[in-house]
Amino acid sequence: MAVEIKMESTRMKSPYAGLRFAAVAAAFLMVAACSSSSETGNASTSPSSSTVTPGTQQDLVTNVGDRVFFDLDQSSLKDEGKATLQRQAAWMKLYPNLTFTLEGHADERGTREYNLALGGRRAAAAKDFLVSLGVDGSRINTVSYGKERPVCLESTEDCWAQNRRAVTVVAEGAGS
């Protein structure tokens, strides 16, 4: 019994005991936070939370995804973009009273005129795909911003890739 008491008192005196507990607790909290944020960050994994009003831009962004991306100098849809547009078409059919604007965007490379035309082709490609899925084309307007409205301002490939996009926007004044 004396040995047991001595061992217990040695453990209590260790300056690292509390530190080890804190490190384990912090690691556990980080894993929990990462798994929680990755679940909510993916627009297609979970139904809307009670803070998102159905049929709004926030609902579209949170639960469906509002943008598709393109390769350099391309307006053809990639598989990921088609999947997003398929989710958008299903969502649009739930809200037949809504109208939309499809915005076409380009990265900073190229002339203003070239990028406006490219953005127009990207918006049209997304609209055409939505129409092919049964969405009434009269509900969708297109506009091109070319390189005028970048979401990323760095001159890097990663940044340019974010700017080569078509974004679906719930039209202003649409009811919920």
Side-chain angles (χ1 to χ4, degrees), residues 8-89:
E8 195 64 48
S9 67
T10 303
R11 284 187 197 142
M12 297 295 278
K13 290 180 183 178
S14 171
Y16 302 108
L19 186 59
R20 274 183 263 156
F21 175 77
V24 169
F28 176 75
L29 289 174
M30 285 181 18
V31 168
C34 288
S35 67
S36 172
S37 67
S38 68
E39 289 173 12
T40 58
N42 187 343
S44 65
T45 58
S46 63
S48 74
S49 66
S50 60
T51 60
V52 176
T53 304
T56 62
Q57 183 70 31
Q58 185 181 9
D59 182 25
L60 176 67
V61 171
T62 303
N63 297 306
V64 178
D66 68 335
R67 59 197 61 205
V68 296
F69 299 94
F70 296 87
D71 289 331
L72 178 64
D73 290 330
Q74 297 296 311
S75 59
S76 56
L77 294 166
K78 300 192 281 187
D79 289 340
E80 304 96 38
K82 288 178 181 179
T84 298
L85 291 170
Q86 288 171 337
R87 291 191 308 273
Q88 286 184 12

Side-chain angles (χ1 to χ4, degrees), residues 27 65 92-93 123 169:
M92 289 174 174
K93 290 175 186 178
V169 179

Side-chain angles (χ1 to χ4, degrees), residues 91-106:
W91 186 87
M92 289 174 174
K93 290 175 186 178
L94 293 174
Y95 304 101
N97 60 316
L98 297 179
T99 59
F100 304 90
T101 300
L102 262 163
E103 302 175 343
H105 299 271

